Amino acid sequence: MIEMKYTIALISLFLIYHKTIDALNPWWRLLIFPILALIVHNRTQIDDELKKLFSRPKLIKNLTIILVLLFSFRMGKSIYNIARPLKAIEDISVVHEQAIDYLFVKKENPYNHILFELAPITIVRNGVSDTYSGFIYTPLGIIYYAPFVHWLGRKGMYLGNFFAYWGVFILLVLTLKRYGQGYFLLGSLFFLSIDYVFTKSFNRGTNDFVPAFLMLLAILLSDKNKRSLSGIVLGLCLGFKQYPGAILSFIFFLNKKFRVVIISSFVLAAVLLPFAINNFKTLYRQIFEVFLFAPIGNTILKDFPEFTRWPISLAAIIFMIYFSLRKKCSTDWDKILIPFIIFIVFTKSSFTTYFICLFPISIFWFLNIPRHRDEKSLKQS
């Protein structure tokens, strides 16, 4: 099929361009939209072809061999990243290490202190410059990484990411295996083979894997009608990092999952309260104000005139709402995947590692895995 050839060509161009040319250029992300459009256009053919492929015993055997080899490689590489000598590392890891030292060694509120950052954020308001240098994330990351950092120093971020990465993989496997061996094998291969975007998180210790794990778990629990538990997990996700939990909360709210959103808000408040006592202003400044007023970062908006940025952002929000509320979708995952992609492409500042949260969802979306299997089965029976 000529359309499928175009789809494969665009996906290949997307990966090659990101890896070899100018990965920091945010305009390459716009390639995602024609890829999504082609897959949606060919949804029926893709589903049919996958079923045909999965009916071939020889292919299943080959996929199994490849998965065993790739799993061994990825596990070995994960362990190697922890064991090898420390080289370059993200300033996120340095800030986490310092915040952990303030909280657990010096018994002080880390939000009260100026910490090292390679590129601190400077905000100019009313002609006055203000530099935000310190811990700008919600506090659960300090607690989660603390035992790993106390044991291994800055490399403890790698070990913390190790558990979160394989936690995402386990959730992916547990979901896919219910729909047949072929879906399990192909989906697992997709996840483990996308090493290019995980390299930075493994080698330099960013803090995106735990939010990715918690976000996926919150979605799966919500889809099983375990709304209270989903709300707790979403609250922990928000307590670890503002993104992606805030976007998922927005989507849940639009889909009238109010219990999830309300419970997550209470959990987040409980997480923040010990750090807000006697110093709410500093906490607000570091974890909310910095994101509301930060200047345009690495996003396509920076190349537009300033007067056009707010209409573009407003249009992006409208499209996020539209796709979240749309009744007729190509798959069950449209209402989550597409609004997230719109956010990543058109937000004020976006990094490649943000896509980590979307890879499991993208796999479910491509393979057309139902989100409400039990409900559908009951209706069919």
Side-chain angles (χ1 to χ4, degrees):
M1 299 187 309
I2 188 66
E3 294 89 350
M4 286 302 297
K5 292 181 180 179
Y6 288 149
T7 304
I8 294 172
L10 272 176
I11 293 174
S12 302
L13 178 62
F14 177 86
L15 297 177
I16 293 172
Y17 182 82
H18 167 74
K19 190 64 181 176
T20 61
I21 304 179
D22 186 11
L24 294 179
N25 187 336
W27 285 91
W28 64 266
R29 296 168 188 159
L30 293 179
L31 281 174
I32 297 172
F33 294 108
I35 292 173
L36 292 178
L38 282 169
I39 293 175
V40 169
H41 179 72
N42 296 289
R43 170 59 64 191
T44 302
Q45 295 93 320
I46 292 173
D47 292 344
D48 292 341
E49 288 299 319
L50 287 174
K51 291 176 182 176
K52 291 178 183 177
L53 290 173
F54 296 155
S55 65
R56 299 177 184 177
K58 186 175 181 180
L59 176 65
I60 295 297
K61 181 180 179 180
N62 290 336
L63 289 177
T64 302
I65 295 172
I66 296 172
L67 178 59
V68 170
L69 293 173
L70 186 57
F71 177 87
S72 301
F73 169 74
R74 291 296 295 138
M75 180 62 74
K77 189 171 184 292
S78 300
I79 296 172
Y80 169 72
N81 285 334
I82 298 170
R84 72 176 184 169
L86 183 64
K87 295 182 180 179
I89 194 166
E90 284 289 300
D91 56 348
I92 292 174
S93 295
V94 179
V95 169
H96 272 79
E97 182 188 39
Q98 293 179 338
I100 290 167
D101 181 68
Y102 273 114
L103 181 61
F104 291 100
V105 179
K106 299 178 182 178
K107 311 297 183 183
E108 298 178 21
N109 189 337
Y111 292 101
N112 295 343
H113 297 276
I114 296 175
L115 308 178
F116 167 82
E117 272 194 81
L118 187 62
I121 297 172
T122 300
I123 297 176
V124 179
R125 286 187 294 171
N126 300 321
V128 179
S129 296
D130 192 5
T131 299
Y132 291 70
S133 182
F135 198 79
I136 60 173
Y137 307 104
T138 40
L140 281 188
I142 304 174
I143 298 170
Y144 172 77
Y145 286 113
F148 307 120
V149 170
H150 280 307
W151 182 24
L152 296 174
R154 292 175 187 173
K155 285 203 303 182
M157 295 285 289
Y158 298 160
L159 185 57
N161 287 341
F162 172 89
F163 291 113
Y165 171 78
W166 290 108
V168 175
F169 179 73
I170 290 171
L171 290 179
L172 182 87
V173 167
L174 291 175
T175 303
L176 291 175
K177 73 175 186 177
R178 297 181 298 166
Y179 299 94
Q181 190 177 13
Y183 291 98
F184 154 66
L185 291 171
L186 190 59
S188 300
L189 284 171
F190 282 158
F191 182 80
L192 293 175
S193 61
I194 306 176
D195 177 70
Y196 76 97
V197 76
F198 291 150
T199 299
K200 185 176 182 181
S201 285
F202 275 129
N203 293 356
R204 296 192 174 185
T206 63
N207 59 340
D208 296 285
F209 281 121
V210 177
F213 170 79
L214 293 172
M215 185 188 89
L216 181 59
L217 182 58
I219 294 171
L220 296 176
L221 289 170
S222 174
D223 290 344
K224 291 182 178 180
N225 287 321
K226 297 181 179 179
R227 302 291 174 85
S228 299
L229 193 54
S230 174
I232 293 172
V233 173
L234 179 57
L236 294 176
C237 182
L238 286 163
F240 195 95
K241 190 175 183 181
Q242 297 90 319
Y243 167 86
I247 306 305
L248 184 59
S249 298
F250 180 60
I251 295 171
F252 277 170
F253 179 82
L254 292 174
N255 285 273
K256 300 180 180 180
K257 296 184 178 182
F258 300 126
R259 182 193 298 178
V260 177
V261 177
I262 292 172
I263 292 175
S264 67
S265 300
F266 279 112
V267 173
L268 176 62
V271 169
L272 296 179
L273 183 61
F275 298 88
I277 294 174
N278 299 326
N279 210 343
F280 175 78
K281 185 177 180 180
T282 300
L283 180 70
Y284 170 80
R285 180 183 187 275
Q286 289 299 112
I287 67 174
F288 293 114
E289 188 176 286
V290 66
F291 289 97
L292 293 173
F293 300 105
I296 298 294
N298 187 38
T299 175
I300 63 173
L301 291 180
K302 69 179 181 180
D303 295 325
F304 284 91
E306 187 172 353
F307 71 91
T308 65
R309 292 172 182 170
W310 74 262
I312 293 173
S313 299
L314 179 61
I317 294 173
I318 292 173
F319 276 109
M320 287 175 66
I321 296 172
Y322 168 74
F323 282 106
S324 294
L325 298 177
R326 192 181 182 201
K327 294 183 179 179
K328 188 177 180 181
C329 303
S330 66
T331 79
D332 289 344
W333 291 94
D334 282 10
K335 293 184 177 183
I336 293 179
L337 178 66
I338 296 178
F340 258 98
I341 291 176
I342 292 173
F343 170 79
I344 290 177
V345 172
F346 294 102
T347 188
K348 292 201 304 181
S349 182
S350 181
F351 299 92
T352 305
T353 51
Y354 285 6
F355 284 96
I356 290 172
C357 300
L358 292 184
F359 278 123
I361 297 172
S362 302
I363 293 169
F364 295 150
W365 179 83
F366 178 75
L367 296 177
N368 200 7
I369 300 298
R371 288 179 58 193
H372 306 280
R373 185 189 183 194
D374 293 337
E375 293 178 10
K376 291 187 175 182
S377 299
L378 287 172
K379 289 179 182 179
Q380 290 174 356
S381 60

